[in-house]
């Protein structure tokens, strides 16, 4: 079956512009995560959605970052007034079971590479 | 506080040798771990997991060992192949914490 998909695969933008990154999780997965990965670094947790519960936004680095998950499926990560330090790969993952952090495998998408000039 | 860290940031091995990647953790509330493999340009992929009621689990060419006493786990890859070259992350599945990863390079 289809895995997690993300779009666009690459995004180049100018400093100060807003960007939207999209994630299509695996159908039926209740948990969805966003991570940021800078070059050569680990995964930085951003936000976590679990079913209809309020999302865990504890990882968002500033109020320029926000995310939505509509209808318990597709999620959009929005970065307003982008800065050069926002340049990174943004990874989305989904998991079949609910629960903070999940106790099951996270299925990752290929990521969106964001470059802010 | 909690941390999930890797002992070594890089590991280089000869093709055919065995590889051992280590991970230490400090949070005793979540003894469930997953090892992920991330190849260049791709998202991480599940390799193997281990729960707190186990101290060893084997997969195909991979073995994970969990030592709860010293809060340490390791990933052993037998007969390492060039296709094993990647970044390996240990993940405390009770949290969203990932370590920085260990980059494994397999020399032909």
């Amino acid at each position: 079956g289809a895995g997690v998909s993300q779009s666009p695969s690459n995004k180049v933008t100018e400093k100060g512009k807003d960007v939207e990154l999209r994630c299509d999780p695996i159908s039926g997965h209740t948990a969805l995560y966003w991570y940021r990965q800078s070059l050569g670094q680990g995964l930085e947790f951003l936000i976590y959605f679990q079913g209809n519960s309020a999302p865990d936004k504890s990882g968002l680095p500033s109020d320029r970052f926000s995310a939505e998950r509509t209808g318990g499926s597709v999620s959009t990560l929005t970065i307003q007034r982008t800065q050069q330090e926002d340049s990174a790969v943004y990874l989305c993952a989904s998991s079949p079971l609910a629960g903070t952090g999940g106790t099951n495998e996270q299925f990752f998408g290929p990521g969106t590479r964001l470059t802010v000039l | 506080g909690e941390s999930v860290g890797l002992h070594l940031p890089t590991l280089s091995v000869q093709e055919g040798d065995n590889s051992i990647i280590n991970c230490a953790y400090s949070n005793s509330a979540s003894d469930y771990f997953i090892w992920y493999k991330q190849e260049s340009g791709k998202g991480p992929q599940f390799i193997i997991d281990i729960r707190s009621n186990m101290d060893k689990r084997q997969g195909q060419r991979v073995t994970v060992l969990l030592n709860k006493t010293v809060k340490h786990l390791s990933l052993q890859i037998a007969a390492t192949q060039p296709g094993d070259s990647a970044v390996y992350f240990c993940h405390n599945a009770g949290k969203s914490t990932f370590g920085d990863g260990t980059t494994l390079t397999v020399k032909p």
Side-chain angles (χ1 to χ4, degrees):
Chain A
V4 177
S5 60
Q6 293 185 245
S7 60
S9 56
N10 282 283
K11 176 69 176 179
V12 180
T13 190
E14 294 180 345
K15 177 181 175 181
K17 300 284 189 180
D18 298 351
V19 295
E20 283 190 353
L21 312 180
R22 177 186 169 106
C23 172
D24 286 82
I26 294 173
S27 178
H29 280 193
T30 59
L32 186 147
Y33 310 79
W34 281 99
Y35 296 89
R36 179 169 68 175
Q37 186 175 35
S38 299
L39 185 64
Q41 301 297 313
L43 301 177
E44 177 188 1
F45 167 74
L46 297 178
I47 189 169
Y48 160 66
F49 295 90
Q50 171 200 328
N52 295 321
S53 301
D56 176 356
K57 304 179 181 180
S58 61
L60 295 178
S62 77
D63 58 8
R64 296 186 295 105
F65 288 73
S66 63
E68 292 183 342
R69 188 179 186 192
T70 55
S73 180
V74 173
S75 178
T76 301
L77 177 69
T78 301
I79 308 173
Q80 296 178 310
R81 306 181 301 282
T82 53
Q83 304 295 312
Q84 289 183 331
E85 59 263 29
D86 299 334
S87 297
V89 175
Y90 289 81
L91 289 160
C92 173
S94 69
S95 183
L97 293 183
T100 302
T103 56
N104 285 278
E105 174 185 356
Q106 292 184 30
F107 294 79
F108 283 83
T112 293
R113 181 175 298 278
L114 175 66
T115 303
V116 182
L117 302 176
Chain B
E2 175 196 349
S3 68
V4 179
L6 280 294
H7 288 321
L8 293 174
T10 62
L11 176 65
S12 182
V13 301
Q14 204 70 36
E15 180 179 359
D17 288 351
N18 296 332
S19 304
I20 300 176
I21 301 172
N22 296 303
C23 184
Y25 65 98
S26 60
N27 183 357
S28 61
S30 295
D31 286 339
Y32 177 70
F33 293 90
I34 299 176
W35 280 98
Y36 288 87
K37 172 186 179 183
Q38 185 178 24
E39 296 177 280
S40 180
K42 298 182 180 179
Q45 286 188 305
F46 173 96
I47 302 175
I48 191 168
D49 62 358
I50 189 165
R51 296 184 182 270
S52 59
N53 61 348
M54 306 170 71
D55 54 18
K56 181 180 180 179
R57 191 168 187 204
Q58 289 186 293
Q60 186 178 15
R61 285 199 305 116
V62 294
T63 301
V64 56
L65 301 178
L66 174 63
N67 186 328
K68 295 182 288 294
T69 301
V70 296
K71 299 190 188 310
H72 177 273
L73 69 159
S74 66
L75 177 70
Q76 300 177 3
I77 305 174
T80 315
Q81 302 170 359
D84 296 326
S85 293
V87 178
Y88 290 81
F89 295 97
C90 63
H91 177 217
N92 182 339
K95 300 290 183 182
S96 297
T97 307
F98 279 79
D100 287 339
T102 291
T103 301
L104 175 65
T105 302
V106 181
K107 297 176 288 185

